[in-house]
Amino acid sequence: MRTTVGIIGGGPAGLLLARLLHRAGIDCVVLESRSREYVEQRQRAGMLEQGTVDALREAGAAARLDTEGLVHHGIELRFDGERHRVDFPSLTGGRTVTIYAQTEVVKDLVALQLAEGPPLLFEAEALAVEKPESGAPVVRFRHEGRERTLTCDWVAGCDGFHGISRGVLPAGRSYTRAYPYAWLGVLAEVAPSCEELIYARSERGFALHSMRSPSVSRLYLQVPEGTDARDWPDDRVWDELAARFAVGDDWALCRGPITAKSVTPMRAFVHEPMRHGRLLLAGDAAHIVPPTGAKGLNLAVSDVRILARGLVEWHRSGESHVLDHYSELCLQRVWQATRFSDDMTRMLHTRPDGDAFDHQVQLARLRRIAASREAAAELAANYSGLPLPL
Ligand code: FAS
Ligand code: PHB
């Protein structure tokens, strides 16, 4: 097989890149190691920045998002029995965010690609990327029991944290941070107990109330690293969430049947550079952020927007200015999102080795945001999404 851009990975990064290239008349092929059913049901992110919504509209993939997405104008912080809302439009010149599950983004992109192209091969596992320094890199992959090759002009490594692409890059530098706790995430068939997301810091640990629709709630609570979800029966989950969200008024947490439970480790990871020869990394293949800042999926999208601009520039004019600066353009935003996600994580989670000093500093940070328009505006600007660097 031969194509202009070989895309390894059919998650949000790979699928959105394929859409943007296809609409620009650039042929590409997506190789996804898992089945369609698997990638479409994988519970992950839920909050889209305005830039992500814009990119999906630009890709012609936002029809359902525009009707079913829940537009939010702020978040609520809860701490020490207090509650404080951070408004986005008044602090950012009009920006909002949208709740629309990553599973739905993936379903929309898969449906479009299967209907209109470019080729999307499921259960096609990339085994190696050969000759990335040449002008014709080759992806070796296994599909339908056979080993095959895909010769490309460019290869996009969109294969996530556990993919093969990052390993193809020589040397480079990785930065990593493991947090001493994890998130237990649950999906529940119950109407959300809030209009907007609630981020709660309590002595017992962090809790987040998100949602998927007017009848489905998505909630997370901080648990010790290595926690087994089977040790958390529904009643224990609801009791702990209620304790962590408790405030001094008549607010109550609505309960319902939990339909999914999973534990996600909390870590940050950045690999530099994000390009080697004709191989370019995008999304979780290059970086991971703790989900407290809701940045993972949105960072993958911003990498892809930059990558698509660069490939279109090269395809149309032979110029490679954006591609030549791809890594530094992406990493500017990656490190800002990593900084913000690290700040939010350390402000809201209780460390197992933390002490009274840590507790007071966390409260002081939260009270500063509640009392200062400048501090609240800084959180709103980062949460709703910093501008693309081009
Ligand atoms: P992905 O990992 O989504 O996609 C990579 C794809 O490549 C996968 O489909 C994989 O099967 C495929 N692949 C891997 N190796 C391959 C190979 N050799 N050949 C072919 N295909 C291969 N972000 C948030 O903002 N909020 C959250 O709450 C949140 N929760 C998360 C929970 C979990 C358990 C995880 C793992 C991540 C979570 N994230 C969250 C981050 C998540 O949303 C990612 O940022 C997002 O999926 C990144 O998309 P991709 O870069 O496309 O990587
Ligand atoms: C989600 O809805 O899955 C979600 C929202 C915000 C976060 C993390 C996860 O910070």
Side-chain angles (χ1 to χ4, degrees):
M1 291 174 70
R2 200 199 186 298
T3 189
T4 302
V5 183
I7 300 173
I8 304 176
L15 293 168
L16 178 60
L17 178 61
R19 276 303 293 167
L20 293 172
L21 296 180
H22 183 67
R23 286 172 70 91
I26 300 174
D27 64 282
C28 55
V29 173
V30 177
L31 303 174
E32 166 52 52
S33 56
R34 297 287 195 151
S35 68
R36 176 178 184 178
E37 294 67 31
Y38 181 88
V39 298
E40 290 187 345
Q41 57 71 42
R42 203 167 31 189
Q43 281 303 325
R44 284 191 173 168
M47 195 288 285
L48 307 185
E49 295 172 0
Q50 187 61 50
T52 297
V53 173
D54 295 345
L56 290 166
R57 286 181 180 144
E58 182 191 334
R64 203 156 62 96
L65 163 58
D66 283 334
T67 53
E68 296 177 19
L70 305 172
V71 177
H72 283 192
H73 289 200
I75 58 171
E76 179 179 308
L77 299 176
R78 281 193 186 176
F79 52 93
D80 217 18
E82 304 166 29
R83 52 202 291 181
H84 178 76
R85 183 172 180 276
V86 178
D87 181 76
F88 293 159
S90 62
L91 293 168
T92 62
R95 288 211 298 267
T96 59
V97 295
T98 302
I99 291 293
Y100 188 72
Q102 178 172 321
T103 50
E104 305 318 295
V105 172
V106 168
K107 284 174 193 168
D108 296 342
L109 289 167
V110 166
L112 277 169
Q113 187 157 346
L114 293 179
E116 301 175 9
L120 166 54
L121 277 63
F122 287 107
E123 296 176 278
E125 182 183 9
L127 306 170
V129 178
E130 293 161 354
K131 302 186 288 183
E133 299 89 350
S134 76
V138 175
V139 179
R140 198 155 41 81
F141 67 99
R142 183 184 298 115
H143 185 234
E144 294 173 343
R146 286 175 47 215
E147 270 207 25
R148 304 178 63 183
T149 58
L150 177 65
T151 303
C152 319
D153 291 316
W154 299 91
V155 177
C158 303
D159 47 351
F161 187 68
H162 302 291
I164 63 158
S165 300
R166 191 171 63 249
V168 177
L169 275 65
R173 169 105 192 256
S174 291
Y175 304 80
T176 187
R177 165 65 45 85
Y179 297 88
Y181 33 77
W183 275 15
L184 171 63
V186 302
L187 207 55
E189 294 292 336
V190 62
S193 307
C194 47
E195 295 292 316
E196 296 171 329
L197 272 56
I198 301 172
Y199 287 78
R201 183 224 169 271
S202 84
E203 287 291 294
R204 305 170 69 98
F206 169 76
L208 168 60
H209 195 323
S210 184
M211 59 204 65
R212 288 293 176 266
S213 74
S215 61
V216 177
S217 293
R218 176 72 166 156
L219 302 109
Y220 299 91
L221 71 156
Q222 172 187 345
V223 292
E225 52 189 335
T227 289
D228 185 334
R230 289 169 299 187
D231 295 339
W232 284 82
D234 292 15
D235 285 347
R236 184 185 179 194
V237 171
W238 288 118
D239 290 345
E240 189 58 36
L241 284 167
R244 296 186 187 188
F245 287 124
V247 281
D249 58 29
D250 59 357
W251 184 87
L253 178 64
C254 302
R255 303 183 180 208
I258 291 176
T259 55
K261 271 180 206 147
S262 64
V263 175
T264 302
M266 296 288 279
R267 65 169 150 233
F269 174 88
V270 179
H271 182 84
E272 296 182 354
M274 291 174 55
R275 173 182 172 184
H276 173 64
R278 289 295 182 99
L279 169 63
L280 305 109
L281 303 186
D284 278 18
H287 42 71
I288 295 280
V289 287
T292 325
K295 291 297 158 208
L297 170 57
N298 294 297
L299 261 188
V301 169
S302 59
D303 289 349
V304 162
R305 295 178 75 189
I306 294 168
L307 181 51
R309 298 257 186 102
L311 290 168
V312 169
E313 176 191 58
W314 171 83
H315 180 73
R316 289 186 177 156
S317 67
E319 291 296 320
S320 59
H321 177 75
V322 173
L323 290 177
D324 291 346
H325 296 85
Y326 172 73
S327 204
E328 66 201 76
L329 286 167
C330 290
L331 287 167
Q332 283 176 41
R333 205 166 186 279
V334 167
W335 277 113
Q336 287 303 324
T338 301
R339 183 255 321 143
F340 175 67
S341 303
D342 181 63
D343 285 349
M344 286 283 279
T345 300
R346 287 185 296 111
M347 179 172 73
L348 291 163
H349 292 72
T350 50
R351 287 185 62 92
D353 60 353
D355 58 16
F357 179 85
D358 298 310
H359 169 80
Q360 291 303 325
V361 166
Q362 284 181 326
L363 286 180
R365 280 209 177 96
L366 287 159
R367 289 192 176 115
R368 174 68 182 155
I369 293 166
S372 153
R373 180 183 169 80
E374 293 77 13
E378 178 61 11
L379 187 155
N382 284 275
Y383 191 94
S384 60
L386 298 179
L388 270 187
L390 53 67

